[in-house]
Amino acid sequence: MWCHALAATAQTVRAEDAIRYRKAVMVMIKWHYDRLSQAAKGSLPLARDEIERNAAWLDALSKNAAEGFGVGSLEGDTKALAAIWRDEAKFRGLVEKFQADAARLRQFARGGEAAALKAPLDAMTRTCKSCHDDFKKS
Ligand code: HEC
């Protein structure tokens, strides 16, 4: 569904803007993911409401993880691989997996126990890595 919507806007959206947008989303994802990972490892003390807030942001940002990957945005200052558009079903599957991971992490974050985040964060880390392995230049 998202691919049709993006294909329709490909003419009016500048590739450069799409690339900047999707990279910005990834940077924000990393920020909240890092905060929670450090809290889970015990290297960053995070208050209960901060754990919940970071997990809520990650959940919300996961919903935008496919935004800005429109057809025609392969050229430019980007590390996105053409495989995203060639193997769209697989890419979309990983986006959905990531969204499920983020929703699960948010559930585990309710109550604000940092140690409870370990398992759902490990699952999420595998999804980040799968997607980067297949769809991002290293
Ligand atoms: C469904 C695929 C997918 C998932 C899941 C995913 N990424 Fe990415 N990520 C990408 C792609 C593709 C790029 C390259 C975007 C570009 O350069 O246009 C990228 C780029 C990045 C970047 C570089 C941004 C920049 O400024 O160039 C960071 C940081 C990043 N991802 C972190 C993460 C983290 C952390 C996770 C998991 C918590 C994650 N990503 C999950 C596909 C994914």
Side-chain angles (χ1 to χ4, degrees):
M1 197 265 277
W2 59 275
C3 52
H4 296 302
L6 289 169
T9 54
Q11 258 71 86
T12 46
V13 173
R14 286 166 58 213
E16 189 190 327
D17 292 342
I19 291 167
R20 282 178 65 194
Y21 180 88
R22 71 197 184 206
K23 282 161 57 170
V25 170
M26 285 292 159
V27 167
M28 289 174 79
I29 284 173
K30 180 171 157 48
W31 174 269
H32 297 288
Y33 166 85
D34 282 351
R35 299 284 81 73
L36 293 171
S37 298
Q38 288 159 359
K41 286 185 191 119
S43 57
L44 177 74
L46 274 190
R48 171 178 296 247
D49 61 333
E50 276 295 284
I51 287 177
E52 288 176 348
R53 193 182 64 82
N54 278 281
W57 271 98
L58 206 43
D59 187 24
L61 288 162
S62 76
K63 309 272 197 310
N64 271 2
E67 184 93 16
F69 284 100
V71 177
S73 62
L74 182 58
E75 304 290 320
D77 184 14
T78 176
K79 291 195 165 172
L81 291 174
I84 293 170
W85 297 279
R86 231 182 14 242
D87 198 352
E88 199 181 289
K90 190 175 181 194
F91 182 72
R92 194 175 52 231
L94 280 165
V95 169
E96 282 166 9
K97 172 86 173 52
F98 180 59
Q99 289 168 346
D101 290 340
R104 184 162 169 263
L105 179 66
R106 191 175 182 179
Q107 290 278 314
F108 277 72
R110 293 216 163 95
E113 285 294 328
L117 304 175
K118 267 193 147 106
L121 275 171
D122 283 349
M124 177 178 280
T125 304
R126 285 192 291 275
T127 311
C128 308
K129 191 174 181 313
S130 304
C131 196
H132 288 177
D133 284 350
D134 289 349
F135 296 111
K136 175 179 169 287
K137 283 177 220 158
S138 47

